[in-house]
């Protein structure tokens, strides 16, 4: 039996943040799997990208965002950014030991199950690839994996540019060495990249594209259930979008929330 205090906490929102608008891909999955939850999504678009910043800078920015979300009574935090996960998740969990903090993870483990005698391409920001989290996953599941740092790629999504000649030129250069190789899977190691699936699939038809969005949301559900924080079935879910960069990025978030993938 849930008491009134626990019920009140369960009705509190889940806070979610990213360096920009890419974490909307995680929010979409969260709304689909947890329709009774209220979500506050914060895009730190004023300070994007995180992927080319130092670990210390990303940690400081992540701390600021989490403090802002906690002021809005968030019951849990989802770090919908692989770079922020690598730079800040461990510190934030140590600073808030009672707060459920769920973080992203590049999908190297599921990709390893698809590897045989070809290659797996892992696309991520330079900051993610340079991080300890990625290095740990790579040591466990990196057989056959080619890590491809993608500076500048997330900015296409920030601009709402999900296809077009400039994006195609970017991918042509990035993928040129692998067009004649047996590519068994492609890991989308940045939440922004989920919005570029159609463009990427055009270069590698039929190759599985893997992101960590579903696994992250399922872990969120498990943590909420374990701490009696899951919103009741009769609760009306909802989404609030915030940005450090003003109203224009919020319009982009709203469009991505409804975009076809």
């Amino acid at each position: 039996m849930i008491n009134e205090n626990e019920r009140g906490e369960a009705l509190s929102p889940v806070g979610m943040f990213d360096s920009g608008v890419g974490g909307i891909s995680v929010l979409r999955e969260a709304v689909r799997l947890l329709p009774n939850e209220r979500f506050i999504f914060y895009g730190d678009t004023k300070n994007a990208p995180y992927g080319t910043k130092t670990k210390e800078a990303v940690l400081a920015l992540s701390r600021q965002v989490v403090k802002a979300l906690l002021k809005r009574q968030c019951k849990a935090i989802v770090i919908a950014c692989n770079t922020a996960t690598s730079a800040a998740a461990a510190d934030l969990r140590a600073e808030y030991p009672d707060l459920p903090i769920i973080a992203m993870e590049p999908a190297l483990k599921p990709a390893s199950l698809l590897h045989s005698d070809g290659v797996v391409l892992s696309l991520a920001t330079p900051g993610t690839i340079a991080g300890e989290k990625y290095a740990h996953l790579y040591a466990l599941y990196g057989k056959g994996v080619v890590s491809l740092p993608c500076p500048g790629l997330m900015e296409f999504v920030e601009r709402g540019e999900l296809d077009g000649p400039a994006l195609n030129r970017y991918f042509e250069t990035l993928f040129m060495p692998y067009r004649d190789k047996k590519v068994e899977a492609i890991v989308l190691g940045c939440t922004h990249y989920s919005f570029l699936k159609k463009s990427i699939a055009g270069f590698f038809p039929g190759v599985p594209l893997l992101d960590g969005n579903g696994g992250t949301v399922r872990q969120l559900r498990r943590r909420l259930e374990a701490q009696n924080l899951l919103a009741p079935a009769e609760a009306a879910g909802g989404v609030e979008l915030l940005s450090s960069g003003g109203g224009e990025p919020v319009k982009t978030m709203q469009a991505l929330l409804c975009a076809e993938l």
Side-chain angles (χ1 to χ4, degrees):
M1 179 73 69
I2 297 177
N3 61 41
E4 286 304 311
N5 185 54
E6 288 177 328
R7 179 179 173 81
E9 290 182 351
L11 291 173
S12 297
V14 173
M16 185 179 295
F17 77 94
D18 181 25
S19 61
V21 304
I24 293 293
S25 63
V26 185
L27 177 62
R28 288 165 58 111
E29 187 71 3
V31 170
R32 186 180 73 83
L33 293 179
L34 297 168
N36 303 111
E37 297 291 345
R38 292 168 52 219
F39 295 96
I40 298 177
F41 180 90
Y42 188 97
D44 193 13
T45 52
K46 180 181 178 181
N47 296 300
Y50 281 5
T52 54
K53 288 180 168 59
T54 65
K55 176 181 177 179
E56 292 73 20
V58 175
L59 175 57
L61 291 168
S62 298
R63 280 177 171 143
Q64 290 177 12
V65 174
V66 169
K67 286 181 180 178
L69 290 171
L70 292 180
K71 286 182 179 179
R72 301 177 73 94
Q73 308 303 313
C74 289
K75 64 185 178 183
I77 298 293
V78 178
I79 306 176
C81 173
N82 284 278
T83 299
T85 290
S86 182
D91 290 87
L92 291 171
R93 284 169 175 154
E95 292 163 16
Y96 300 99
D98 298 323
L99 177 69
I101 297 178
I102 294 84
M104 298 296 300
E105 182 174 285
L108 293 182
K109 182 177 180 179
S112 71
L113 301 177
L114 301 175
H115 170 63
S116 56
D117 58 348
V119 298
V120 171
L121 302 182
S122 178
L123 282 56
T125 67
T128 293
I129 291 176
E132 293 179 8
K133 179 72 171 180
Y134 188 90
H136 175 71
L137 288 170
Y138 189 89
L140 293 173
Y141 309 111
K143 185 177 181 180
V145 173
V146 177
S147 301
L148 296 180
C150 302
L153 183 55
M154 67 160 281
E155 283 84 343
F156 282 92
V157 180
E158 291 291 314
R159 296 191 295 267
E161 190 176 346
L162 307 186
D163 54 25
L167 181 61
N168 284 335
R169 286 194 296 271
Y170 186 104
F171 283 138
E172 284 171 0
T173 300
L174 183 70
F175 295 141
M176 182 67 70
Y178 310 101
R179 294 301 300 276
D180 297 324
K181 295 184 181 296
K182 181 182 178 182
V183 177
E184 296 170 316
I186 297 175
V187 174
L188 306 178
C190 172
T191 54
H192 287 73
Y193 302 168
S194 296
F195 291 106
L196 303 176
K197 284 181 178 179
K198 287 184 179 179
S199 293
I200 295 171
F203 288 86
F204 298 101
V207 174
L209 305 179
L210 308 176
D211 61 39
N213 297 353
T216 299
V217 176
R218 288 190 291 274
Q219 176 64 3
L220 169 63
R221 182 185 180 95
R222 286 191 290 269
R223 291 294 304 278
L224 293 178
E225 286 179 329
Q227 294 184 225
N228 288 327
L229 292 174
L230 195 67
E234 68 274 13
V239 171
E240 182 179 359
L241 302 174
L242 304 173
S243 168
S244 61
E248 198 60 37
V250 172
K251 293 179 182 178
T252 302
M253 292 178 199
Q254 290 170 334
L256 291 175
L257 197 56
C258 303
E260 291 186 17
L261 296 183

